[in-house]
Amino acid sequence: MKTLASINEKDIETIKMALNDSISDMNTELKGELSDKKKAGLFEYKMKYTRVFDKLKQTSSLYALSETDLDIVAGGLNDAIDLIEENLTDDLTDEEKEEFLTYKSDCNRLIGILST
């Protein structure tokens, strides 16, 4: 059984990358045509993800995060997995596909740690 103590600096970078990817995707969605309710909800999630991302940039430790923040991290990792799956296309090189799949695997592993 893995714990938060097993999460290393590379894992923190993966989490920050996942949060950043999710925030970027939300920015793109917010530029599109959305209902006011959907736009407000998406903006709220973007602010939550940004707050946790900024905390991790300052401390680089999951121990600095609250339980709610850890749930947000798991949500960001899940969102990143969805983005990876959307972007795994046939026009990618084998090297790019391998990079995406490694990133996806890292995200899944981290979700497993956070869910215990």
Side-chain angles (χ1 to χ4, degrees):
M1 177 166 140
K2 301 232 178 191
T3 64
L4 288 184
S6 67
I7 294 178
N8 59 36
E9 189 62 36
K10 180 185 174 289
D11 295 331
I12 297 292
E13 289 304 313
T14 298
I15 290 168
K16 289 192 291 191
M17 188 165 68
L19 289 170
N20 189 54
D21 289 348
S22 297
I23 291 165
S24 294
D25 185 56
M26 287 179 208
N27 283 333
T28 301
E29 279 190 65
L30 285 167
K31 291 177 186 173
E33 294 293 320
L34 300 171
S35 68
D36 289 342
K37 185 177 180 178
K38 175 126 174 137
K39 192 172 270 197
L42 195 56
F43 185 76
E44 183 181 333
Y45 269 102
K46 179 188 164 200
M47 292 294 92
K48 288 178 182 180
Y49 282 29
T50 301
R51 181 181 50 78
V52 173
F53 178 75
D54 289 342
K55 277 186 182 181
L56 286 174
K57 281 189 345 188
Q58 289 177 342
T59 32
S60 281
S61 170
L62 292 185
Y63 289 110
L65 302 179
S66 69
E67 191 172 326
T68 301
D69 292 341
L70 291 174
D71 289 342
I72 292 168
V73 166
L77 290 164
N78 272 318
D79 289 350
I81 290 168
D82 289 343
L83 288 170
I84 291 165
E85 290 173 352
E86 289 172 16
N87 290 294
L88 270 176
T89 58
D90 290 336
D91 60 337
L92 296 173
T93 66
D94 287 343
E95 186 176 303
E96 289 169 328
K97 284 180 186 175
E98 182 64 30
E99 223 174 275
F100 272 113
L101 293 173
T102 299
Y103 178 32
K104 181 180 176 182
S105 175
D106 289 344
C107 289
N108 276 318
R109 181 178 51 79
L110 290 165
I111 289 170
I113 292 170
L114 290 171
S115 67
T116 57

